Amino acid sequence: MTIYAALGAVEQGLVYGIMVIGVYLTFRILDFPDLTVDGSLPLGASISAVAITSGLNPYLSLLLAVAGGFLAGMITAVLNTKFKILHLLASILTMIALYSINIRIMSGPNVALLGADTVFDPVIAMGVPSQYAGILVFGLFAVLVVSFIVWFLGTELGQAVLATGDNPQMITSLGVNTHTIIILGVGMSNALVALSGALVAQNQGAADVGMGIGTIIAGLASVIIGETVFGCKTILRAFIAALLGSVLYRLVIAMALGVEFGSFKFNPSDLNLITALLVICALITPQIKKRLIER
Amino acid sequence: MKRIMFAALAMVAICGLAAQSVSAQTYTISVNQFVEHPALDAVLKGFQDYLKENNIDVEYNVHNAQANMGTATQIAQQMIGENPDLLMAIATPSAQAVAQANAKAPENMKRPYLFTAVTDPVAAGLVKDIEHPGGLTTGVSDLLPLDKHIEMVLTYMPNLKKLGILYNAGEANSKANVAGIKELGEKMGFEVVEATAAKTADVYQAAKSLIGKVDAIFIPTDNTIISALESVLKIGIQNKLPIFCADTDSVERGAIAAMGFDYYKHGYQTGAVAQRILGGEKPADIPVEFQKDLQLHINTKASAQMGVTPPEALLQKATKIYE
């Protein structure tokens, strides 16, 4: 792996890390497996790309993307809480609806952003070389997002979110409406995923309706790798682990792209297999550790 | 004696050096292919065959994004790090990822860049102008010569009033083609009826929705529909509804006819552009090319099954006839 590829992997890890933090919020904190993300990531990208090409400031376009993502998450959560549709099914329904909506937003499957204004321009204008601008901007966003989430979960409302995931019966008996909390939590999660999508689109030069495929896989893989490698004893540590898990996940993909053992070389088509093996390893390592200790 | 030995050694050394400078240079080309797919695989094969047949020694770093844009971006960054003589991307999303990575790379790491199998390079933001691409980028576009396709359909069915088009609205290439066919319809006096399928499982139903509404169906180079072509052909045979395609492989599978777009040749043509760039020409000065060779393939058995007779004029022009 070249230095350049490694830098690229860190950059990708940080920008998708914002999505992973969103996935952590639903998957681990709220105990709500949410597949909406495969649709809300391109939703954020579409909104941001269309806003930018119609002349809006790239930073303001992020706010629109966040709002769009929040709305998408809310819809999934309302379907689940108010209409009693199973969470997995509710999120799949929102996800497939978003496919059509994203094409509507972009009036087509793809909007090019090559050469358009992006969030990197002000940073590059300050003299940061363009290959580092991504790492800097995404790193900053990731730190902000982690700080915000950790602060939020410390507030009274945040405590209610934590409790809703842990013990819904107890929190209901305390007079908190769990429905509202779930709608808020899933909305926030998808707002982050959409923010990630908007930044991804600006980074790779296009929003594409197909760019969300596999988001949940990458998200869960990163969460699990992060937990296994960095631990999750405190809320702060858990979210940092999720972010670093994303970076690690991308680094492994970068390595898999260039792996050679003597005359043996992986085929380009082996990438999905390698990803799956990686996640399986991360999943079973804690169990093996536990068994060894028990002996 | 020593002197003679020395002279001989010197001679050998000089000959060796000369031989080395005559022997061909080895180039490195890094490839970002979006997905494994017969058409795109054929593009790469044609590309590599052209360079091989022209004795250009190339070492390839081939990467495949498995239809994932995040991976395509990572591959693009990896390719910059590989420091090749030429960057190449196959299909639009990969092409955009490479363009972006190349634009972001530091000045001394930027490389000439060639894209292929991209339908609308201007809309994709890859080049500003087809004739004068400028910058480090040029490529070969697989935009269908739609007028020739439609002309063929109309020769088959001169009384055509309504043409059904089956495609996936999520594929940028198809979207561009459908817009073009609609424009032609207005000029040539037929109506276009669209049916879309977002995934292969929806293709059968989408095709069914066209029964009774159209005189024939045309399928552009759409990955989703082509993957589930058999279900469309079945409907065509059951309802005597002629099915035309844009690619020749589909004719062998049972479509009536296609004004062949051979992706192998597409890659072969891209190879010729690569040769020019490796030879020192600037991509900025090489206009974006479109597919040159078209072949007419006809399936007479399928024609009979779907209730039409191939016109004599077309049969004579056909390069391949399936019976």
Side-chain angles (χ1 to χ4, degrees), chain B residues 111-265:
Chain B
R111 287 287 170 268
Y113 166 42
L114 176 63
F115 59 80
T116 184
V118 170
T119 301
D120 195 340
V122 177
L126 297 170
V127 294
K128 290 235 154 54
D129 184 346
I130 295 289
E131 287 303 315
H132 308 282
L136 290 161
T137 312
T138 191
V140 184
S141 162
D142 63 357
L143 183 71
L144 299 176
L146 290 170
D147 48 343
K148 290 185 183 149
H149 285 267
I150 298 302
E151 241 168 58
M152 175 201 73
V153 175
L154 289 177
T155 319
Y156 241 101
M157 307 185 69
N159 297 322
L160 182 99
K161 284 279 163 284
K162 286 181 175 180
L163 181 64
I165 301 186
L166 204 51
Y167 68 103
N168 177 356
E171 292 191 24
N173 291 353
S174 302
K175 189 87 184 170
N177 285 324
V178 173
I181 295 173
K182 273 188 169 168
E183 217 170 277
L184 282 170
E186 274 168 29
K187 258 187 255 164
M188 296 171 154
F190 62 87
E191 193 189 324
V192 170
V193 183
E194 297 170 55
T196 63
K199 51 186 191 298
T200 48
D202 302 338
V203 172
Y204 183 71
Q205 208 181 356
K208 241 181 165 173
S209 76
L210 288 173
I211 298 171
K213 285 194 209 157
V214 296
D215 307 317
I217 294 178
F218 180 77
I219 301 171
T221 46
D222 185 287
N223 296 318
T224 312
I225 310 296
I226 303 286
S227 304
L229 183 66
E230 275 69 21
S231 57
V232 185
L233 295 175
K234 195 173 143 196
I235 287 172
I237 293 168
Q238 282 169 352
N239 299 282
K240 298 268 177 238
L241 185 58
I243 314 285
F244 295 91
C245 282
D247 68 306
T248 47
D249 289 340
S250 296
V251 180
E252 193 175 357
R253 284 164 78 183
I256 287 188
M259 209 52 193
F261 194 95
D262 185 334
Y263 273 94
Y264 177 84
K265 285 199 167 158

Side-chain angles (χ1 to χ4, degrees), chain A residues 21-38:
Chain A
I21 290 166
V23 169
Y24 194 92
L25 188 63
T26 41
F27 185 63
R28 282 294 192 234
I29 305 266
L30 277 177
D31 200 16
F32 188 111
D34 179 24
L35 303 182
T36 316
V37 295
D38 275 24

